[in-house]
Amino acid sequence: DTAVSQTPKYLVTQMGNDKSIKCEQNLGHDTMYWYKQDSKKFLKIMFSYNNKELIINETVPNRFSPKSPDKAHLNLHINSLELGDSAVYFCASSQDLATTSGANVLTFGAGSRLTVL
Amino acid sequence: KQEVTQIPAALSVPEGENLVLNCSFTDSAIYNLQWFRQDPGKGLTSLLLIQSSQREQTSGRLNASLDKSSGRSTLYIAASQPGDSATYLCANDDYNNNDMRFGAGTRLTVKP
């Protein structure tokens, strides 16, 4: 059974469109994250949620809107897609927040490759 | 703000060699440091986690060390195999910022 699953795995779309990437974890974790991996393979955090509450919101355009209907799901919706949004987006989860645990192992999904044409 | 740097960016070695990957970070206020492996087109797999009170962790042919005072961690891979070819990333669990900060990774190629 997949622990952290993301859909779709690949997404090709035109500039200006609105798209969503879904993430689900079946590990019973309280915290979920979205990371963006750019063309240089550098991973940057975008958002984190703990028990459906937004904890981290890095400097990300407000075209990106995360939604957590429950603590097992964290979806990423992107409006008015731009060429620079092309990247691999990784969802991850951990038992709890960094501030509450010294053994905060992250489990990652396989990634969703977004290509904006 | 925490910055994580990995050197070298890429490394190519013949099979059987022992090798060391380096990771440095600017803020020693961390809970732990993790090493991950990323295979092309796939997600990240956690290899080793070293808590801030620990000095090293071992798993099979892998050994990771942590020196918080100097802001350094190393990943030692013994008797490398072609199957070890992947990108290795380090990340620390930074309690000042309540998130994980990643290095850019070291792309390892082990040639048969």
Side-chain angles (χ1 to χ4, degrees):
Chain A
D1 288 344
T2 303
V4 180
S5 58
Q6 300 178 224
T7 54
K9 191 175 174 70
Y10 299 97
L11 183 57
V12 181
T13 188
Q14 300 285 335
M15 264 197 319
N17 284 350
D18 304 337
K19 292 293 179 185
S20 293
I21 307 172
K22 296 183 178 181
C23 180
E24 176 182 4
Q25 53 95 4
N26 62 6
L27 298 166
H29 286 170
D30 287 343
T31 308
M32 295 185 72
Y33 311 79
W34 276 108
Y35 284 85
K36 179 180 179 180
Q37 187 175 43
D38 60 24
S39 58
K40 296 181 179 178
K41 302 297 184 183
F42 199 67
L43 272 161
K44 290 185 180 179
I45 192 165
M46 299 174 68
F47 303 101
S48 77
Y49 271 72
N50 186 60
N51 277 319
K52 303 193 298 176
E53 181 182 345
L54 179 65
I55 302 298
I56 295 172
N57 183 352
E58 289 288 287
T59 307
V60 176
N62 57 15
R63 298 181 294 104
F64 290 77
S65 54
K67 286 192 170 47
S68 182
D70 54 62
K71 70 176 191 177
H73 296 83
L74 181 60
N75 303 323
L76 184 64
H77 188 75
I78 315 170
N79 290 325
S80 303
L81 279 158
E82 300 177 357
L83 293 177
D85 298 332
S86 295
V88 181
Y89 292 84
F90 285 99
C91 176
S93 71
S94 62
Q95 184 61 56
D96 49 35
L97 289 170
T99 51
T100 59
S101 169
N104 199 27
V105 176
L106 258 67
T107 303
F108 279 82
S112 297
R113 180 176 292 278
L114 171 64
T115 303
V116 182
L117 303 175
Chain B
K1 199 168 186 179
Q2 179 76 272
E3 290 184 9
V4 181
T5 306
Q6 290 187 245
I7 295 173
L11 181 64
S12 181
V13 300
E15 182 176 4
E17 272 203 10
N18 303 325
L19 57 100
V20 175
L21 307 180
N22 297 295
C23 173
S24 61
F25 47 95
T26 54
D27 188 345
S28 62
I30 62 172
Y31 269 115
N32 61 49
L33 186 135
Q34 294 186 50
W35 282 93
F36 295 86
R37 169 184 174 140
Q38 183 177 24
D39 293 283
K42 296 185 180 180
L44 284 76
T45 302
S46 182
L47 298 173
L48 290 164
L49 179 146
I50 313 174
Q51 296 195 40
S52 62
S53 58
Q54 299 172 326
R55 300 280 297 182
E56 65 177 343
Q57 283 288 327
T58 298
S59 176
R61 294 181 293 108
L62 305 179
N63 176 277
S65 68
L66 174 64
D67 184 343
K68 271 183 54 176
S69 60
S70 66
R72 295 178 190 277
S73 176
T74 60
L75 179 66
Y76 175 81
I77 303 178
S80 57
Q81 302 171 358
D84 295 333
S85 297
T87 297
Y88 291 81
L89 298 102
C90 68
N92 57 38
D93 199 351
D94 175 4
Y95 63 67
N96 282 332
N97 293 297
N98 206 22
D99 70 356
M100 294 198 69
R101 301 282 164 162
F102 282 80
T106 294
R107 189 173 66 254
L108 172 66
T109 303
V110 181
K111 294 179 282 189

